[in-house]
Amino acid sequence: MSEDSDEPRADPPRRMPPIVLALLGAAALLFAAMSSQWLANTGANGSIAMGLRSTTECGSVGMLLGPRPDECRTKSNSDYNAEWKTESGQYHSAAFAPCGLVTSIACFVGALGLLAAAALALAKKQPQLPVSPSSVSLLALMAGLVSGCVFVATKPGPAGFVGVGIAFWIFGVGAVLGLAGSIMLARVNRPVDPDLMDGAIDPDKF
């Protein structure tokens, strides 16, 4: 296209809004991955907090005989979940611990993908990559949303034993921000399409 052409040129995508969304989403995902407050309950006799990889009990809560009122204990989710295993399987689901681990990994991978995509946008680089960081974050966030919801739905114990904590809501906000940032950064970081007609008609060759 010549400089004197009257055809409108496409405006370059704005960089800062998706970068801000990606950074906020990454921060929320990292907080959720490391938080112990995905599921929580505090009562007169103690408290319990479930993260994606471990559960901490202080005192006795619910139907289990937990530690003494002045003691706390932390167990992996698989070990804690096994304590609820009964013959009927009423308070136990084998999906709980694996889904927590998958969600944790998805949060870390999604956050790294968002940070890498934001770094490319800040540096104004548009490399030709086999898989873009935006694609990595999108796939991780979609997997994390599914596994995170299953993790919460399959929590051990009777109904009302624990409720969702602050980390679950921050994860939801981070996932929404991350998805939006990934989609927008995919356009910002997209490599420039080569001009296939460049040099196709060279008068010197005829």
Side-chain angles (χ1 to χ4, degrees), residues 128-147:
Q128 188 74 44
L129 300 173
V131 181
S132 68
S134 298
S135 298
V136 171
S137 60
L138 275 173
L139 293 174
L141 289 174
M142 288 188 289
L145 282 171
V146 175
S147 60

Side-chain angles (χ1 to χ4, degrees), residues 1 55-56 69-70 95 123 151 162 177 190 195 199 201:
M1 184 186 298
T55 296
T56 299
D70 58 341
F151 171 77
V162 288
L177 294 176
R190 183 178 62 187
D195 187 358
I201 303 177

Side-chain angles (χ1 to χ4, degrees), residues 149-172:
C149 290
V150 175
F151 171 77
V152 171
T154 57
K155 60 185 181 294
F161 173 55
V162 288
V164 293
I166 185 64
F168 175 77
W169 301 114
I170 291 179
F171 166 73

Side-chain angles (χ1 to χ4, degrees), residues 5 12 49 51 60 73 75 82 86 90 96-97 116 120 126 149 152 172 181-183 191 195:
S5 174
S60 180
R73 68 179 182 182
K75 291 187 174 184
T86 62
Q90 183 177 1
F96 174 71
L120 288 176
Q126 297 171 294
C149 290
V152 171
S182 296
I183 294 172
D195 187 358

Side-chain angles (χ1 to χ4, degrees), residues 24-34 106-108 110-111 114 141 170-171 174-175 178:
L24 291 175
L29 292 172
L30 290 174
F31 173 85
M34 295 183 288
C107 285
F108 282 118
L114 288 169
L141 289 174
I170 291 179
F171 166 73

Side-chain angles (χ1 to χ4, degrees), residues 13-95:
R14 297 176 62 188
R15 296 177 181 274
M16 289 312 300
I19 289 173
V20 172
L21 289 177
L23 294 178
L24 291 175
L29 292 172
L30 290 174
F31 173 85
M34 295 183 288
S35 175
S36 62
Q37 296 292 323
W38 273 70
L39 296 159
N41 186 14
T42 301
N45 298 321
S47 63
I48 184 169
M50 296 181 182
L52 293 174
R53 296 173 300 279
S54 63
T55 296
T56 299
E57 288 180 290
C58 294
S60 180
V61 179
M63 297 173 60
L64 289 181
L65 181 60
R68 292 191 311 225
D70 58 341
E71 291 183 347
C72 294
R73 68 179 182 182
T74 299
K75 291 187 174 184
S76 68
N77 281 342
S78 58
D79 290 341
Y80 180 75
N81 192 43
E83 293 185 355
W84 287 95
K85 189 174 183 179
T86 62
E87 292 182 1
S88 64
Q90 183 177 1
Y91 302 131
H92 170 272
S93 172

